[in-house]
C-alpha cells in the first residue's frame, strides 16, 4: 500500500494544528464567512430585525459536521458577534443588559450545539450497530457489501487494486455437534479475533453468516494479499491447535487490478476460489489474480 511522505517541516506544522481543525477545513471557512456576513447584516439593519436563526446556522453546521470543541468555540464567537452587532446598533447601551443578553444567547447556542452533538453520536452509534455482527464484533454482511461498493468505486477512480477473501472454517459442524453451540460460538469469536489481528486498520473483516467470514483488503495486490492471508492462516492454526477439535480454515481470495461493477460477482468469485482451496485438501490459502 502506498503512503505519502510528509516533509519534516510540514509534519511539525501539522502537529501544531488542533485535530478538530483538520476534520474539514472548508466547513470552518464557510461557517466563518457566514458568521461574518450575518453579523454585518445584523449591524446594518439595526435592532428592529432579529437574526438569531442565522447566527445559529454556523453553530449548527460546525456542531453537526465538525467536533464538539469547534462547536463550542462557534457558540462563543456567534454570541459575541450577535451582542456586539446589537450593541453597535443601539444609541444607549446598558452593560448589565448587554451581559445578560450575551449569557442568554450563549446558553441557547450551547444547548443547541450539545444537543446536535448528542444526536449525531447516537445516529453514528446506531449505524455502527446496524452494520456489526453481534456474535463476533466483526462487520456484518450489510456493512461488508456497503464497504465493498465504496472500495470498488474508489478502485475505478484511482486505478489501485483490491483483494477480496472468503474464509470458511473446516469441519466446524463437528464442534457444534460434539461440544455444543456455546463452544462453537467461542471458536467463531476466536477466529474473528485472530483475523482482525492479522489485517490493517483500513481493511474490513466481516462475518457473512454461520462459519463464513470475508476480508476486504483495499489497495492490495496478489503478492501483498498472499503475505497477509498466510499470516492470518498461521495465527488461526496456532490459537486453535490445542482445542479438542482443532479448527482449520480454507481461504480463497481474488486480487483485482480492476474489479467488476457487480459486487455479487466479486463475492461469488472469492467464494468459488475458497471452494477450490477446500477441494485441494482444505486448510489452505489460495489467491488468484483477476486482471479485470
Amino acid at each position: 500500500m502506498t503512503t505519502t511522505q510528509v516533509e519534516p517541516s510540514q509534519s511539525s506544522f501539522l502537529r501544531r494544528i488542533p485535530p478538530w481543525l483538520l476534520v474539514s477545513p472548508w466547513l470552518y471557512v464557510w461557517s466563518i464567512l457566514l458568521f461574518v456576513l450575518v453579523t454585518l447584516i445584523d449591524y446594518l439593519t439595526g435592532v428592529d430585525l432579529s437574526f438569531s436563526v442565522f447566527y445559529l446556522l454556523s453553530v449548527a453546521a460546525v456542531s453537526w459536521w465538525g467536533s464538539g470543541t469547534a462547536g463550542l468555540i462557534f457558540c462563543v464567537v456567534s454570541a459575541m458577534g450577535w451582542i456586539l452587532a446589537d450593541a453597535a446598533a443601539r444609541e444607549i447601551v446598558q452593560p448589565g443588559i448587554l451581559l445578560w443578553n450575551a449569557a442568554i444567547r450563549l446558553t441557547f447556542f450551547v444547548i443547541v450545539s450539545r444537543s446536535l452533538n448528542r444526536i449525531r453520536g447516537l445516529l453514528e452509534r446506531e449505524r455502527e450497530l446496524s452494520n456489526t455482527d453481534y456474535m463476533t464484533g466483526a462487520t456484518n454482511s450489510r456493512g461488508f457489501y456497503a464497504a465493498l461498493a465504496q472500495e470498488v468505486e474508489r478502485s475505478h477512480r484511482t486505478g489501485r487494486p483490491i483483494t477480496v477473501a472468503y474464509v470458511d472454517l473446516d469441519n466446524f459442524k463437528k464442534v457444534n455437534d460434539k461440544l455444543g453451540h456455546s463452544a462453537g460460538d467461542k471458536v467463531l469469536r476466536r477466529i474473528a479475533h485472530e483475523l482482525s489481528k492479522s489485517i490493517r486498520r483500513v481493511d474490513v473483516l466481516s462475518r457473512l453468516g454461520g462459519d463464513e467470514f470475508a476480508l476486504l483488503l483495499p489497495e492490495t495486490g496478489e503478492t501483498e494479499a498472499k503475505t497477509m492471508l498466510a499470516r492470518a492462516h498461521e495465527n488461526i492454526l496456532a490459537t486453535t491447535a490445542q482445542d479438542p477439535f482443532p479448527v482449520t480454515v480454507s481461504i480463497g481470495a481474488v486480487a483485482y487490478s480492476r474489479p467488476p461493477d457487480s459486487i455479487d460477482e466479486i463475492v461469488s468469485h472469492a467464494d468459488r476460489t475458497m471452494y477450490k482451496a477446500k477441494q485441494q485438501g482444505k486448510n489452505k490459502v489460495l489467491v488468484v489474480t483477476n486482471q479485470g
Side-chain angles (χ1 to χ4, degrees):
M1 183 176 178
T2 59
T3 57
T4 302
Q5 298 296 326
V6 179
E7 295 298 326
S9 59
Q10 183 183 3
S11 178
S12 177
F13 170 75
L14 291 176
R15 283 195 294 267
R16 292 195 295 268
I17 299 178
W20 57 266
L21 192 57
L22 297 176
V23 174
S24 178
W26 282 110
L27 167 66
Y28 301 110
V29 170
W30 288 114
S31 297
I32 291 172
L33 291 176
L34 176 61
F35 160 73
V36 172
L37 178 62
V38 170
T39 303
L40 180 61
I41 296 175
D42 192 14
Y43 165 70
L44 294 176
T45 55
V47 297
D48 294 329
L49 294 177
S50 176
F51 280 78
S52 57
V53 172
F54 299 100
Y55 283 105
L56 192 59
L57 289 177
S58 58
V59 171
V62 173
S63 299
W64 185 264
W65 286 293
S67 69
T69 302
L72 292 178
I73 291 175
F74 266 80
C75 287
V76 175
V77 172
S78 296
M80 291 177 60
W82 186 3
I83 204 68
L84 290 175
D86 194 9
R90 295 177 183 272
E91 296 181 0
I92 301 176
V93 179
Q94 298 183 24
I97 295 178
L98 195 66
L99 291 174
W100 172 261
N101 288 343
I104 292 298
R105 291 166 182 174
L106 176 59
T107 301
F108 169 64
F109 286 149
V110 169
I111 290 175
V112 171
S113 176
R114 301 310 295 171
S115 296
L116 289 174
N117 263 184
R118 178 63 175 168
I119 293 172
R120 187 187 68 174
L122 291 174
L123 290 175
E124 290 177 349
R125 177 61 176 166
E126 184 67 23
R127 183 162 53 248
E128 179 183 345
L129 290 175
S130 69
N131 290 330
T132 301
D133 173 57
Y134 76 96
M135 175 73 68
T136 62
T139 301
N140 60 21
S141 59
R142 174 183 175 182
F144 178 78
Y145 277 84
L148 179 55
Q150 290 180 351
E151 287 302 327
V152 167
E153 181 182 353
R154 192 162 73 94
S155 177
H156 289 169
R157 187 174 63 254
T158 63
R160 301 291 299 167
I162 65 171
T163 294
V164 175
Y166 214 100
V167 182
D168 187 82
L169 277 63
D170 301 322
N171 304 316
F172 179 69
K173 188 174 182 298
K174 291 183 179 180
V175 177
N176 285 330
D177 291 344
K178 299 294 184 179
L179 301 179
H181 288 281
S182 60
D185 293 344
K186 182 179 179 181
V187 170
L188 290 174
R189 287 191 289 268
R190 288 170 61 186
I191 297 297
H193 177 68
E194 293 303 324
L195 287 171
S196 65
K197 283 169 51 180
S198 306
I199 60 178
R200 306 160 301 184
R201 293 178 63 87
V202 297
D203 302 327
V204 178
L205 164 65
S206 173
R207 181 188 176 209
L208 299 183
D211 60 341
E212 297 178 337
F213 294 86
L215 292 170
L216 170 59
L217 311 177
E219 299 195 15
T220 304
E222 180 181 354
T223 302
E224 291 174 288
K226 285 182 176 179
T227 301
M228 294 176 62
L229 295 175
R231 181 170 64 246
H233 187 248
E234 291 174 0
N235 290 342
I236 290 171
L237 293 182
T239 194
T240 62
Q242 305 303 318
D243 288 349
F245 292 93
V247 173
T248 60
V249 295
S250 296
I251 303 177
V254 184
Y256 290 94
S257 57
R258 179 175 175 80
D261 294 328
S262 173
I263 304 303
D264 290 333
E265 180 182 344
I266 295 173
V267 175
S268 178
H269 194 176
D271 187 22
R272 292 196 304 270
T273 305
M274 180 272 295
Y275 274 105
K276 288 181 180 179
K278 281 185 175 292
Q279 291 169 358
Q280 293 177 7
K282 298 183 179 181
N283 193 26
K284 294 181 180 297
V285 177
L286 178 60
V287 182
V288 299
T289 298
N290 187 299
Q291 298 298 331

